[in-house]
């Protein structure tokens, strides 16, 4: 233990630091160019700094419309996903039934398969075969589909670590099923639902691939940014809006992670790393 | 404590029981929960139904609809979709123009996956072996944050970094190496008209965007490698490189495979980045987007999508066998 833990070698330290810099450098660039005085190119270093672009961005009604649409879609999708995801988690947890394994695999598909699959499948089937007109409704359907798994993963992880004795104790003490749910299960699941909900919200708010296929005429915020990308004028406005978009998702996700840390199941909810914040061996084998 | 004090306590106790009892008997919620308690199958069905309807009917149903489309074809003269079942759309995938797209995308996905694995390893190893518990959480958040900041925003940043007047040229110019880029982009396969219009930039940005997806599962896998294994290996005389190759790498494999599911799948279906970076050569996602959005050839778009799906399903089943799902 002692020698291995003594400290990382210089090479490892340098490599790790470089990878970290690689991850954060582009975000710094976005910030820098939100303040540049140039309107149509991104010279480095910026010739001057200004706050004007924030005023220009905030005055744009089309930006706010896209922003509101993104908020609306994310809010509805998250709500539906929380309902479906936690119900499914409740069904899968400690119950064996036909098709259980298949179902837990299918719930993963919308994020394991390329997003384009969900997008084109929903578009061609809903609009092509059933004449559902694309719009907010179809965007919500697409987003909910890949948000379910985020909530599901978080709730299942929590349920697994919740001792079944707690539920039995509650019943032994005379609580009804509803009371057990309300006073025992819910308080235990609350942070998992919150963490899952925030991650689902963030994922929906930033999504662009599925949205491209399912949307009607109105752009969501990422689509709006994408449309502005190839316009030569007022380019820093895009950076200002980009900063807003990042803040809207990063701050809640960061808070949710902090919150979930106390219960040690802070995951991306996307599978990746869902276990990494847990202490070793804390996950009971299923 | 006087005897007159005791009864109220008891009464309080009774009252509490009485309250819960009332709540148990009355109210629709109580009735429902009693019903579900007596009929566990009904409870399971009620829990399952919404998600099953959504995932099986809506999601898998839509994919089924897409499958039907892929067996239709686009009538050559009218440009309308001919709804007779045919394999001609799949046949057209074998045309060089189309098969090249698939191969190019696979090559890019493989290159990006390898690059992500190499870049992810040192940081993941540092996090798992050397960071304190608190430090590891901070690093974990630091890796996670870029993942949760808009993907489009991070791609936008790279357009600003790689531009001719941007920071990369500027920095290399300072040390007199900006000629290196210009030489690099004249290279035959990977080059392009400018740095942004070259495959090199597409590769860099893909690698950058998916890197956190690789770091997190690799770190999770490495965290489970007991330190004693490494000590035992070195006690038995293995040099660090041998320990890495024979102990660390095999144990990290499920994590690497889990990460590669994301790096591979995300590269396969992306159509935003190839429009922002790289040459005019198409990638799979881009072709799907163009066929359905511009050309109106939904059958061909559907067939391409099923190629991507088939590749991913093969990949997922291999990953599952390799035990990668436990690292997810």
């Amino acid at each position: 233990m002692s020698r291995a833990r003594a400290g990382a070698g210089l090479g490892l330290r340098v490599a790790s630091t470089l990878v970290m810099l690689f991850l954060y450098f582009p975000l710094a660039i976005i910030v820098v160019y939100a303040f540049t005085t140039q309107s149509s190119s991104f010279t480095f270093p910026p010739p001057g700094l200004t706050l004007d672009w924030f005023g220009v961005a905030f005055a744009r009604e089309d930006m706010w419309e896209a922003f509101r649409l993104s908020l609306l879609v994310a809010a509805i999708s998250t709500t539906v996903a929380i309902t479906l995801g936690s119900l499914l988690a409740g069904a899968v947890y400690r119950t064996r039934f036909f098709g259980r394994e298949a179902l837990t695999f299918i719930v993963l598909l919308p994020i394991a398969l390329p997003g384009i699959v969900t997008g084109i499948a929903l578009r061609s089937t809903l609009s092509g075969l059933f004449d559902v007109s694309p719009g907010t409704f179809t965007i919500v359907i697409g987003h909910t589909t890949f948000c379910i798994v985020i909530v599901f993963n978080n709730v299942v992880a929590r349920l697994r670590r919740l001792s079944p004795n707690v539920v039995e104790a509650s019943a032994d003490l005379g609580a009804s099923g509803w009371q057990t749910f309300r006073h025992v299960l819910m308080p235990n699941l609350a942070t998992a639902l919150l963490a899952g909900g925030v991650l689902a919200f963030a994922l929906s708010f930033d999504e662009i691939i599925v949205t491209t296929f399912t949307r009607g005429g109105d752009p969501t915020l990422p689509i709006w940014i994408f449309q502005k990308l190839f316009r030569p004028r007022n380019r820093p406005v895009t950076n200002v809006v980009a900063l807003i978009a990042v803040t809207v998702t990063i701050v809640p996700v960061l808070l949710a992670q902090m919150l979930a840390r106390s219960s040690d199941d802070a995951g991306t909810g996307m599978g990746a790393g869902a276990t990494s914040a847990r202490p070793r061996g804390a996950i009971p084998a299923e | 404590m006087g005897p007159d004090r005791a009864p109220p306590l008891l009464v309080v106790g009774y009252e509490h029981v009485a309250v819960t009892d009332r709540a148990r008997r009355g109210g629709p919620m109580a009735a429902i929960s009693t019903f579900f308690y007596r009929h566990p199958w009904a409870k399971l069905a009620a829990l399952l139904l919404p998600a099953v309807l959504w995932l099986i009917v809506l999601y898998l149903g839509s994919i089924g609809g897409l499958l039907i489309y892929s067996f239709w074809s686009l009538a050559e003269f009218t440009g309308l979709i001919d709804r007779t079942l045919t394999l001609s759309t799949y046949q057209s995938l074998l045309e060089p123009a189309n098969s090249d797209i698939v191969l190019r995308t696979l090559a890019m996905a493989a290159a990006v996956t390898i690059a992500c694995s190499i870049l992810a390893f040192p940081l993941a190893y540092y996090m798992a072996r050397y960071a304190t518990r608190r430090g590891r959480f901070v690093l974990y958040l630091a890796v996670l944050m870029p993942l949760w900041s808009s993907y489009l925003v991070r791609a936008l940043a790279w357009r600003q970094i790689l531009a001719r007047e941007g920071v990369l040229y500027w920095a290399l110019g300072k040390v007199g190496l900006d000629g290196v880029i210009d030489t690099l982009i004249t290279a035959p396969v990977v080059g392009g008209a400018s740095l942004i219009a070259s495959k090199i930039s597409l590769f860099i940005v893909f690698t950058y965007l998916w890197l956190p997806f690789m770091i997190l599962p690799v770190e999770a896998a490495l965290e489970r490698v007991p330190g004693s294994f490494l000590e035992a290996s070195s006690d038995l005389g293995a040099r660090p490189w041998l320990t890495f190759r024979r102990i660390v790498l095999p144990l990290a494999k499920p994590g690497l495979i889990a990460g590669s599911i994301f790096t591979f799948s995300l590269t396969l279906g992306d159509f935003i980045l190839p429009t922002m970076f790289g040459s005019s050569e198409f990638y799979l996602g881009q072709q799907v987007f163009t066929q359905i959005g511009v050309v109106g050839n939904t059958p061909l778009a559907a067939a391409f999508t099923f190629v991507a799906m088939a590749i991913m399903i093969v990949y997922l089943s291999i990953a599952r066998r390799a035990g990668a799902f436990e690292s997810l």
Side-chain angles (χ1 to χ4, degrees):
Chain A
M1 200 80 193
S2 55
R3 194 147 46 103
R5 288 274 168 184
L10 185 66
L12 187 62
R13 280 172 183 278
V14 170
S16 302
T17 312
L18 286 178
V19 171
M20 246 339 158
L21 284 177
F22 179 58
L23 283 177
Y24 276 89
F25 182 69
L27 293 176
I29 287 294
I30 289 288
V31 178
V32 168
Y33 284 125
F35 298 97
T36 184
T37 44
Q38 283 176 315
S39 162
S40 57
S41 74
F42 293 114
T43 307
F44 194 90
L49 299 175
T50 172
L51 284 169
D52 290 353
W53 303 115
F54 283 81
V56 178
F58 290 154
R60 292 196 64 149
E61 195 41 47
D62 59 334
M63 189 278 284
W64 287 117
E65 266 171 39
F67 184 77
R68 277 193 293 269
L69 180 61
S70 277
L71 279 185
L72 179 73
V73 166
I76 304 176
S77 306
T78 305
T79 313
V80 181
I82 285 181
T83 316
L84 295 178
S86 45
L87 286 180
L88 186 64
V92 164
Y93 165 68
R94 298 217 308 152
T95 320
R96 308 262 156 212
F97 54 88
F98 175 74
R100 181 177 178 274
E101 297 302 312
L103 200 60
T104 52
F105 185 69
I106 292 168
V107 74
L108 195 80
L109 280 183
I111 56 161
L113 291 177
I116 203 164
V117 173
T118 312
I120 182 188
L122 286 175
R123 180 196 169 113
S124 59
T125 305
L126 291 180
S127 315
L129 297 178
F130 290 103
D131 278 329
V132 182
S133 60
T136 312
F137 178 65
T138 47
I139 303 178
V140 166
I141 288 185
H143 286 200
T144 305
T145 304
F146 60 73
C147 284
I148 294 176
V149 63
I150 314 278
V151 179
F152 173 80
N153 274 355
N154 272 276
V155 176
V156 157
R158 179 65 55 83
L159 281 174
R160 270 189 203 147
R161 279 180 299 109
L162 184 68
S163 165
N165 300 342
V166 177
V167 175
E168 278 160 30
S170 168
D172 287 349
L173 291 170
S176 68
W178 167 248
Q179 283 173 320
T180 303
F181 175 75
R182 170 75 186 75
H183 297 291
V184 178
L185 270 181
M186 270 317 273
N188 273 298
L189 290 182
T191 51
L193 285 174
L194 184 70
V198 166
L199 298 178
F201 185 93
L203 197 65
S204 162
F205 193 85
D206 284 339
E207 215 285 336
I208 184 163
I209 302 248
V210 178
T211 317
T212 308
F213 289 100
T214 50
R215 77 188 181 98
D218 298 328
T220 59
L221 199 62
I223 302 269
W224 187 91
I225 295 176
F226 188 63
Q227 286 170 342
K228 294 291 165 289
L229 223 57
F230 302 101
R231 308 267 165 84
R233 285 188 63 245
N234 289 355
R235 286 194 149 169
V237 168
T238 320
N239 284 49
V240 172
V241 179
L243 276 183
I244 299 174
V246 170
T247 316
V248 165
T249 55
I250 279 293
V251 174
V253 168
L254 203 57
L255 290 176
Q257 291 290 331
M258 303 279 200
L259 190 73
R261 198 209 174 185
S262 53
S263 41
D264 257 333
D265 60 357
T268 59
M270 305 184 73
T275 53
S276 60
R278 282 182 216 153
R280 258 162 275 180
I283 318 138
E286 208 188 336
Chain B
M1 189 167 285
D4 52 337
R5 292 264 169 110
L9 273 176
L10 260 178
V11 172
V12 169
Y14 265 121
E15 254 175 10
H16 182 67
V17 171
V19 167
T20 49
D21 213 36
R22 244 198 322 276
R24 195 191 308 164
R25 277 197 218 106
M29 282 308 183
I32 294 171
S33 66
T34 309
F35 175 78
F36 280 146
Y37 180 74
R38 293 204 177 125
H39 305 88
W41 276 104
K43 176 184 166 188
L44 185 62
L47 287 174
L48 276 175
L49 196 65
V52 165
L53 279 181
W54 194 287
L55 290 169
I56 310 276
V57 178
L58 197 62
Y59 179 64
L60 287 190
S62 291
I63 290 179
L66 190 66
L67 189 64
I68 296 173
Y69 261 110
S70 72
F71 288 106
W72 290 344
S73 61
L74 196 73
E76 220 164 287
F77 297 108
T78 56
L80 294 173
I81 291 165
D82 178 5
R83 296 193 171 190
T84 45
L85 294 181
T86 168
L87 280 172
S88 66
T89 307
Y90 280 102
Q91 259 161 14
S92 66
L93 286 180
L94 299 174
E95 288 164 17
N98 287 332
S99 61
D100 278 359
I101 292 176
V102 176
L103 294 176
R104 187 180 302 130
T105 311
L106 278 177
M108 180 59 85
V112 167
T113 300
I114 292 167
C116 282
S117 322
I118 294 170
L119 286 178
F121 222 96
L123 184 57
Y125 194 77
Y126 181 82
M127 284 170 77
R129 297 267 320 143
Y130 297 106
T132 59
R133 209 176 133 69
R134 191 185 155 71
R136 189 189 301 156
F137 182 67
V138 172
L139 286 172
Y140 166 77
L141 282 186
V143 173
L144 206 59
M145 285 308 105
L147 201 62
W148 288 104
S149 43
S150 166
Y151 135 99
L152 190 63
V153 168
R154 288 180 296 145
L156 170 70
W158 279 99
R159 271 183 76 91
Q160 298 170 2
I161 292 170
L162 300 174
R164 189 71 187 81
E165 69 276 10
V167 61
L168 184 67
Y169 272 98
W170 174 82
L172 288 175
K174 285 272 166 196
V175 289
L177 286 174
D178 46 343
V180 174
I181 302 178
D182 294 323
T183 322
L184 211 58
I185 59 179
T186 53
V189 179
V190 295
S194 67
L195 183 55
I196 283 188
S198 73
K199 280 205 187 88
I200 299 169
S201 69
L202 187 58
F203 166 75
I204 293 175
V205 183
F206 268 136
T207 305
Y208 169 74
L209 285 175
W210 315 145
L211 182 58
F213 284 106
M214 186 63 92
I215 296 175
L216 294 173
V218 171
E219 195 273 337
L222 288 176
E223 213 176 284
R224 290 190 212 118
V225 180
S228 56
F229 280 27
L230 308 184
E231 279 163 43
S233 172
S234 92
D235 287 350
L236 291 169
R239 291 181 176 272
W241 173 245
L242 190 67
T243 305
F244 176 79
R245 214 161 44 88
R246 300 285 293 273
I247 311 285
V248 177
L249 208 54
L251 288 169
K253 208 174 93 184
L256 284 167
I257 297 175
S260 77
I261 293 174
F262 289 96
T263 58
F264 206 84
S265 164
L266 290 164
T267 312
L268 218 55
D270 196 280
F271 63 89
I272 303 283
L273 286 198
T275 55
M276 291 172 72
F277 303 91
S279 59
S280 55
E281 287 178 328
F282 267 37
Y283 287 81
L284 204 152
Q286 210 178 358
Q287 171 75 340
V288 170
F289 177 71
T290 310
Q291 288 303 325
I292 197 171
V294 184
V295 184
N297 191 347
T298 310
L300 187 59
F304 265 108
T305 310
F306 277 100
V307 172
M309 260 185 87
I311 294 169
M312 274 324 291
I313 283 172
V314 170
Y315 205 106
L316 284 173
S317 57
I318 295 172
R320 196 176 207 181
R321 214 166 295 160
F325 280 30
E326 279 82 61
S327 303
L328 273 177

